[in-house]
Amino acid sequence: MATQIDLDTATLEEERIKALKSYSILDTPPDGSFDKLTKLAANLLKVPIAIVSLVDTDRIWFKSKYGIDLQQIDKDDGLCASVVFSDDLYLVEDASIDARTLSNPLVAGSFGLRFYAAVPLRTRDGFNLGTFCVIDKAPRTLSEEEEQILRDLRDIVMDQIELRLASRVSMAQHNQILNTTAHDLKNPLTTIPVRADLIKMKKDNPDMVDTLCDQIKIASLNMVRIIDELLQVGSMEAGKIHLLLIKVNVSFLVSNVVSMNQPLAERKNQTLHFSYERDLYVNADEGKLTEIIDNLINNAIKYSPADKHIFIRVKERSGRVLIEVEDQGLGLTLEDKSKLYQRFTRLSAQPTAGENSTGLGLSIVKVLVEAHNGTICAESEGKDRGCKFIVELPGRNG
């Protein structure tokens, strides 16, 4: 029967391999930036061999190597497999007399390995993907300065690996949002011409014409929202958020935004409840503040089932203005909360009536709130338990 330690080790190794695969670096072509670092390590530390290795399930694959022609070796033969379980420097000064390495084929065989020093390639999540190692066929040691050089070069390698992963993830996210946006824009665009033709056919039915016109308006507004969110993200990435700050009556502004969203709520037989203590004022960009509130109310409508109630409140607390949007909708899981404001993120909840969502709205809201020196937080007791967003802004005397 396997012991608990064996099971824990196997689980950790499984997670480590999963992390390694997620970086998509195994079996990739040679990389000049890594090759320069292994050459630099060999020259600085005066060793004939330097390797950036990745420890796979049954092999040790060399992403970069200097002074050796091999591309990979069996996992059981390599010392790097031991380093992935180390926290820091793994040093063998003379492998011919070191109990850890006496039976290793690289030591006992024709290769004649004697000196080995390696530091693990550790991810930000704490997984060791492989090693940055230096090898000599003669016994030797490293000074403290040389040990630090090896660690520094390892850090540069990991920075490059992390940057490449971030670049791939970012590209995948952008491709995903482009595909999603194209799909979300295509749906309303397809319905508009159809409804326009129906209006021509139903000229003698004013009620039907009014209904079709409302549907065209809603489809058009959905497209405008999607395009606005994409443009807003582009502006944020370019650092072009410019606020035109004026004295704004928040109570009045929120009331207007509630009225704007009333038709959307009525389509789902939802009831919007607006309350405020008194006229409260802030210094804000009126358009950007409207966008913040509109996004939160629109989300509450979108992610709440039909016949539910949505509560919008404006309050004052300790000289600050609070804007609350509370729904009886699908709620937030713990995982949702951890990635709530990330761009291009889709949460566990789905719109309840087939509405569109780019996954950008809340990330934009957070940036705009913070640009006003405010904060935003979300409260939810869990899935299907509703959600409350609270925006807090510095108040201003009326």
Side-chain angles (χ1 to χ4, degrees), residues 296 299-301 303-305 309-313 324-333 336-337 340-341 347 349 362 376-390:
L296 294 178
N299 272 357
I301 295 170
Y303 293 99
S304 294
H309 296 264
I310 297 168
F311 303 88
I312 303 98
R313 312 178 187 94
E324 298 180 354
V325 179
E326 182 176 6
D327 63 54
Q328 299 174 326
L330 304 178
L332 300 171
T333 65
D336 289 336
K337 291 179 181 179
L340 196 56
Y341 304 107
L347 304 180
L362 287 176
I376 181 171
C377 67
E379 298 177 355
S380 177
E381 295 182 2
K383 189 173 178 61
D384 298 322
R385 301 293 297 275
C387 179
K388 178 164 71 173
F389 281 89
I390 306 168

Side-chain angles (χ1 to χ4, degrees), residues 334-374:
L334 288 176
E335 183 181 359
D336 289 336
K337 291 179 181 179
S338 70
K339 58 183 182 180
L340 196 56
Y341 304 107
Q342 295 176 12
R343 293 180 188 174
F344 312 115
T345 295
R346 298 300 177 95
L347 304 180
S348 62
Q350 298 295 317
T352 57
E355 298 98 331
N356 300 316
S357 174
T358 62
L360 292 170
L362 287 176
S363 67
I364 294 172
V365 166
K366 187 174 190 293
V367 171
L368 293 179
V369 169
E370 292 177 349
H372 284 84
N373 297 316

Side-chain angles (χ1 to χ4, degrees), residues 21 45 50 57 59 67 92 97 132 155 192 199 201 229 262 295 344 350 357 361 384 390 395:
K21 302 294 186 184
L45 302 179
T57 51
R59 60 173 177 156
V92 178
I97 59 174
F132 195 126
D155 291 344
I192 288 174
I199 288 174
M201 298 168 57
E229 288 182 354
Q262 193 69 45
N295 192 291
F344 312 115
Q350 298 295 317
S357 174
D384 298 322
I390 306 168

Side-chain angles (χ1 to χ4, degrees), residues 49-52 60-74 106 111:
I49 299 170
I51 301 171
V52 171
I60 300 171
W61 184 77
F62 302 153
K63 173 59 184 171
S64 176
K65 57 193 185 299
Y66 178 84
I68 190 171
D69 291 331
L70 295 174
Q71 186 59 64
Q72 65 181 39
I73 59 174
D74 289 342
L106 295 177
F111 185 79

Side-chain angles (χ1 to χ4, degrees), residues 187-208:
N187 285 343
L189 276 173
T190 302
T191 64
I192 288 174
V194 173
R195 285 170 171 78
D197 287 339
L198 286 172
I199 288 174
K200 291 181 180 179
M201 298 168 57
K202 302 293 183 180
K203 290 179 182 178
D204 56 345
N205 188 338
D207 291 339
M208 177 64 75

Side-chain angles (χ1 to χ4, degrees), residues 19-79:
L20 173 62
K21 302 294 186 184
S22 72
Y23 280 79
S24 300
I25 192 172
L26 285 169
D27 300 311
T28 53
D31 191 308
S33 59
F34 291 150
D35 292 343
K36 289 176 182 176
L37 291 171
T38 48
K39 181 178 180 180
L40 182 61
N43 290 334
L44 288 175
L45 302 179
K46 299 179 176 57
V47 293
I49 299 170
I51 301 171
V52 171
S53 72
L54 299 167
V55 181
D56 200 358
T57 51
D58 56 358
R59 60 173 177 156
I60 300 171
W61 184 77
F62 302 153
K63 173 59 184 171
S64 176
K65 57 193 185 299
Y66 178 84
I68 190 171
D69 291 331
L70 295 174
Q71 186 59 64
Q72 65 181 39
I73 59 174
D74 289 342
K75 186 176 181 180
D76 293 339
D77 294 342
L79 298 179

Side-chain angles (χ1 to χ4, degrees), residues 5 7 29 61 81 87 111 119 178 202 206 222 243 285 366 386 398:
I5 292 177
L7 291 174
W61 184 77
D87 293 329
F111 185 79
V119 282
L178 284 174
K202 302 293 183 180
N222 283 336
L243 301 181
D285 183 305
K366 187 174 190 293

